[in-house]
Amino acid sequence: MIQRMEHAFIDLVEAYIKAIKFLKRNKNEIFNLGSENGFTVFETIKTFEEVSK
């Protein structure tokens, strides 16, 4: 599960970077940066704790 969440996090970071670059050129746009594979806040925190040891 950790690798799956790490991959999803990297994808999300890349999506934010692309969205920010787009917004620098085009104003007032809405983006949904979610994925098909949701994670609970608890799962995210536990995974962060595990990988940051």
Side-chain angles (χ1 to χ4, degrees):
M1 177 153 105
I2 292 173
Q3 288 181 335
R4 195 176 102 207
M5 289 186 75
E6 287 174 348
H7 182 69
F9 179 75
I10 291 169
D11 288 347
L12 186 58
V13 169
E14 290 173 354
Y16 273 111
I17 291 169
K18 288 180 181 181
I20 290 168
K21 287 179 180 178
F22 180 87
L23 288 172
K24 285 182 177 181
R25 297 184 308 272
N26 309 284
K27 303 296 180 196
N28 300 323
E29 196 68 39
I30 297 172
F31 295 96
N32 179 356
L33 298 178
S35 72
E36 295 174 9
N37 303 319
F39 300 101
T40 66
V41 172
F42 181 75
E43 288 174 318
T44 305
I45 291 169
K46 292 304 270 180
T47 301
F48 178 80
E49 289 174 343
E50 289 176 24
V51 300
S52 62
K53 287 181 182 179

